[in-house]
mmCIF file of all heavy atoms in Angstrom:
data_model
loop_
_atom_site.group_PDB
_atom_site.id
_atom_site.type_symbol
_atom_site.label_atom_id
_atom_site.label_comp_id
_atom_site.label_asym_id
_atom_site.label_seq_id
_atom_site.Cartn_x
_atom_site.Cartn_y
_atom_site.Cartn_z
ATOM 1 N N VAL A 97 -12.004 32.031 -28.568
ATOM 2 C CA VAL A 97 -12.235 31.791 -30.002
ATOM 3 C C VAL A 97 -11.985 30.322 -30.320
ATOM 4 O O VAL A 97 -12.766 29.682 -31.034
ATOM 5 C CB VAL A 97 -11.351 32.715 -30.869
ATOM 6 C CG1 VAL A 97 -11.358 32.284 -32.325
ATOM 7 C CG2 VAL A 97 -11.800 34.161 -30.734
ATOM 8 N N TRP A 98 -10.896 29.776 -29.784
ATOM 9 C CA TRP A 98 -10.592 28.363 -29.996
ATOM 10 C C TRP A 98 -11.731 27.475 -29.501
ATOM 11 O O TRP A 98 -12.171 26.556 -30.194
ATOM 12 C CB TRP A 98 -9.287 27.989 -29.286
ATOM 13 C CG TRP A 98 -9.086 26.516 -29.223
ATOM 14 C CD1 TRP A 98 -8.590 25.707 -30.202
ATOM 15 C CD2 TRP A 98 -9.429 25.654 -28.122
ATOM 16 N NE1 TRP A 98 -8.592 24.396 -29.778
ATOM 17 C CE2 TRP A 98 -9.105 24.340 -28.508
ATOM 18 C CE3 TRP A 98 -9.967 25.872 -26.867
ATOM 19 C CZ2 TRP A 98 -9.306 23.251 -27.661
ATOM 20 C CZ3 TRP A 98 -10.167 24.797 -26.033
ATOM 21 C CH2 TRP A 98 -9.838 23.502 -26.438
ATOM 22 N N LEU A 99 -12.232 27.765 -28.292
ATOM 23 C CA LEU A 99 -13.309 26.958 -27.725
ATOM 24 C C LEU A 99 -14.572 27.069 -28.572
ATOM 25 O O LEU A 99 -15.226 26.064 -28.859
ATOM 26 C CB LEU A 99 -13.591 27.369 -26.272
ATOM 27 C CG LEU A 99 -14.732 26.628 -25.590
ATOM 28 C CD1 LEU A 99 -14.520 25.115 -25.609
ATOM 29 C CD2 LEU A 99 -14.913 27.141 -24.173
ATOM 30 N N MET A 100 -14.922 28.282 -28.983
ATOM 31 C CA MET A 100 -16.121 28.453 -29.798
ATOM 32 C C MET A 100 -15.977 27.709 -31.110
ATOM 33 O O MET A 100 -16.925 27.048 -31.559
ATOM 34 C CB MET A 100 -16.407 29.940 -30.037
ATOM 35 C CG MET A 100 -17.734 30.180 -30.692
ATOM 36 S SD MET A 100 -19.077 29.578 -29.638
ATOM 37 C CE MET A 100 -20.462 29.855 -30.687
ATOM 38 N N ASP A 101 -14.816 27.785 -31.736
ATOM 39 C CA ASP A 101 -14.582 27.041 -32.980
ATOM 40 C C ASP A 101 -14.728 25.543 -32.749
ATOM 41 O O ASP A 101 -15.337 24.837 -33.558
ATOM 42 C CB ASP A 101 -13.197 27.346 -33.542
ATOM 43 C CG ASP A 101 -13.069 28.743 -34.121
ATOM 44 O OD1 ASP A 101 -14.116 29.399 -34.354
ATOM 45 O OD2 ASP A 101 -11.925 29.184 -34.339
ATOM 46 N N LEU A 102 -14.178 25.054 -31.651
ATOM 47 C CA LEU A 102 -14.271 23.636 -31.320
ATOM 48 C C LEU A 102 -15.724 23.223 -31.096
ATOM 49 O O LEU A 102 -16.177 22.193 -31.612
ATOM 50 C CB LEU A 102 -13.433 23.327 -30.078
ATOM 51 C CG LEU A 102 -13.424 21.875 -29.608
ATOM 52 C CD1 LEU A 102 -12.749 20.980 -30.646
ATOM 53 C CD2 LEU A 102 -12.724 21.765 -28.264
ATOM 54 N N LEU A 103 -16.460 24.023 -30.345
ATOM 55 C CA LEU A 103 -17.866 23.722 -30.091
ATOM 56 C C LEU A 103 -18.676 23.720 -31.383
ATOM 57 O O LEU A 103 -19.498 22.821 -31.605
ATOM 58 C CB LEU A 103 -18.455 24.736 -29.101
ATOM 59 C CG LEU A 103 -17.924 24.663 -27.670
ATOM 60 C CD1 LEU A 103 -18.359 25.889 -26.884
ATOM 61 C CD2 LEU A 103 -18.370 23.387 -26.987
ATOM 62 N N GLU A 104 -18.448 24.705 -32.218
ATOM 63 C CA GLU A 104 -19.180 24.780 -33.492
ATOM 64 C C GLU A 104 -18.810 23.610 -34.403
ATOM 65 O O GLU A 104 -19.680 23.008 -35.032
ATOM 66 C CB GLU A 104 -18.905 26.116 -34.181
ATOM 67 C CG GLU A 104 -19.535 27.296 -33.480
ATOM 68 C CD GLU A 104 -21.055 27.263 -33.487
ATOM 69 O OE1 GLU A 104 -21.644 26.823 -34.489
ATOM 70 O OE2 GLU A 104 -21.649 27.674 -32.475
ATOM 71 N N LYS A 105 -17.524 23.292 -34.488
ATOM 72 C CA LYS A 105 -17.072 22.182 -35.322
ATOM 73 C C LYS A 105 -17.651 20.864 -34.825
ATOM 74 O O LYS A 105 -18.106 20.041 -35.618
ATOM 75 C CB LYS A 105 -15.545 22.122 -35.320
ATOM 76 C CG LYS A 105 -14.978 21.007 -36.166
ATOM 77 C CD LYS A 105 -13.461 20.975 -36.089
ATOM 78 C CE LYS A 105 -12.917 19.769 -36.832
ATOM 79 N NZ LYS A 105 -11.490 19.597 -36.650
ATOM 80 N N SER A 106 -17.658 20.667 -33.520
ATOM 81 C CA SER A 106 -18.185 19.425 -32.951
ATOM 82 C C SER A 106 -19.673 19.282 -33.230
ATOM 83 O O SER A 106 -20.149 18.197 -33.547
ATOM 84 C CB SER A 106 -17.920 19.377 -31.449
ATOM 85 O OG SER A 106 -16.541 19.325 -31.205
ATOM 86 N N THR A 107 -20.420 20.381 -33.102
ATOM 87 C CA THR A 107 -21.850 20.356 -33.396
ATOM 88 C C THR A 107 -22.088 20.038 -34.864
ATOM 89 O O THR A 107 -22.935 19.228 -35.207
ATOM 90 C CB THR A 107 -22.495 21.710 -33.044
ATOM 91 O OG1 THR A 107 -22.249 21.986 -31.670
ATOM 92 C CG2 THR A 107 -23.985 21.686 -33.281
ATOM 93 N N LYS A 108 -21.304 20.658 -35.745
ATOM 94 C CA LYS A 108 -21.441 20.413 -37.180
ATOM 95 C C LYS A 108 -21.119 18.962 -37.499
ATOM 96 O O LYS A 108 -21.841 18.311 -38.250
ATOM 97 C CB LYS A 108 -20.523 21.342 -37.978
ATOM 98 C CG LYS A 108 -20.640 21.168 -39.474
ATOM 99 C CD LYS A 108 -19.644 22.049 -40.211
ATOM 100 C CE LYS A 108 -19.701 21.882 -41.713
ATOM 101 N NZ LYS A 108 -19.671 20.531 -42.196
ATOM 102 N N ASN A 109 -20.046 18.429 -36.926
ATOM 103 C CA ASN A 109 -19.674 17.033 -37.175
ATOM 104 C C ASN A 109 -20.758 16.081 -36.706
ATOM 105 O O ASN A 109 -21.054 15.091 -37.364
ATOM 106 C CB ASN A 109 -18.349 16.691 -36.494
ATOM 107 C CG ASN A 109 -17.163 17.347 -37.164
ATOM 108 O OD1 ASN A 109 -17.247 17.821 -38.293
ATOM 109 N ND2 ASN A 109 -16.054 17.406 -36.459
ATOM 110 N N GLU A 110 -21.369 16.362 -35.571
ATOM 111 C CA GLU A 110 -22.430 15.520 -35.027
ATOM 112 C C GLU A 110 -23.633 15.539 -35.958
ATOM 113 O O GLU A 110 -24.241 14.509 -36.225
ATOM 114 C CB GLU A 110 -22.820 15.994 -33.625
ATOM 115 C CG GLU A 110 -23.804 15.102 -32.922
ATOM 116 C CD GLU A 110 -23.245 13.746 -32.534
ATOM 117 O OE1 GLU A 110 -22.020 13.633 -32.333
ATOM 118 O OE2 GLU A 110 -24.032 12.799 -32.422
#
Side-chain angles (χ1 to χ4, degrees):
V97 168
W98 168 82
L99 178 57
M100 189 62 185
D101 288 345
L102 180 66
L103 292 168
E104 290 295 324
K105 180 182 174 187
S106 295
T107 303
K108 181 184 179 311
N109 289 344
E110 186 69 27

